[in-house]
Amino acid sequence: MFDRVMISLASPLVRNKVYTLTVVLVSDCVGNRIGKSNFTTQVGLSEQVLKSDVILNEILFNPTPAATDYVEIYNRSNKILDLRQLYIANRNTTGAIGNLVQLSTESNLIFPQEFRVITASAAIVNANYRIINKEAFIVIESMPSFNDDKGTAI
């Protein structure tokens, strides 16, 4: 599948500096235009995630019958972080970590002061709640269970 681009730079990127990359008028080998005429995204080099860098900002553990659970995380650091280094889990009744799920198997950056929403279905969350940034979703195969009365999210 052709969904990646390799870019060669004249000088190396500086760690924790946010760069803006704009792609204009991309076409395939035959000359067909691909996607929008302009596409802008942020890029950068990530740092190791430390314990206090990311917080659980909101947990929807008891959604309406038509909705699904989600957890909102926030990068409160000034660092670019890679979601490959992060997991979500709960604790079972004995206190042991259970249902450990990696947030991303590929590099997926979260920039300083940025929010992300972790869920098993972005479409269901979009259909049931007011969403400001539809690009902020991290879709995982299944969410750890979060009980309605008590529990722990990690």
Side-chain angles (χ1 to χ4, degrees):
M1 182 179 297
F2 300 103
D3 63 351
R4 308 241 191 274
V5 174
M6 182 175 286
I7 299 173
S8 297
L9 303 172
S11 58
L13 298 178
V14 176
R15 190 161 301 280
N16 272 324
K17 180 176 180 184
V18 178
Y19 296 88
T20 301
L21 176 66
T22 302
V23 179
V24 180
L25 300 175
V26 176
S27 59
D28 63 15
C29 297
V30 181
N32 299 314
R33 285 203 179 150
I34 300 172
K36 304 178 212 173
S37 59
N38 292 334
F39 174 77
T40 300
T41 191
Q42 292 181 316
V43 295
L45 295 176
S46 64
E47 295 247 2
Q48 183 174 353
V49 179
L50 298 177
K51 188 176 181 177
S52 61
D53 289 340
V54 176
I55 60 169
L56 298 177
N57 192 60
E58 180 181 352
I59 302 171
L60 179 68
F61 58 88
N62 188 16
T64 63
T68 187
D69 290 357
Y70 69 76
V71 173
E72 182 182 76
I73 60 172
Y74 177 67
N75 178 359
R76 67 180 182 177
S77 77
N78 290 318
K79 302 186 301 188
I80 300 169
L81 305 173
D82 194 337
L83 295 171
R84 270 191 310 194
Q85 297 178 27
L86 295 175
Y87 294 78
I88 188 166
N90 59 14
R91 288 197 188 274
N92 64 25
T93 54
T94 66
I97 294 175
N99 301 309
L100 187 68
V101 179
Q102 186 176 17
L103 295 190
S104 183
T105 56
E106 296 183 342
S107 184
N108 186 347
L109 303 179
I110 181 170
F111 292 89
Q113 288 74 56
E114 198 170 65
F115 292 90
R116 293 292 179 92
V117 176
I118 305 159
T119 184
S121 176
I124 291 174
V125 175
N126 271 307
N128 288 278
Y129 301 98
R130 185 174 156 257
I131 305 301
I132 295 171
N133 181 3
K134 294 182 192 257
E135 305 298 318
F137 284 98
I138 303 165
V139 178
I140 58 177
E141 192 170 308
S142 65
M143 290 289 289
S145 175
F146 299 118
N147 294 335
D148 294 350
D149 56 347
K150 64 180 180 176
T152 304
I154 303 171

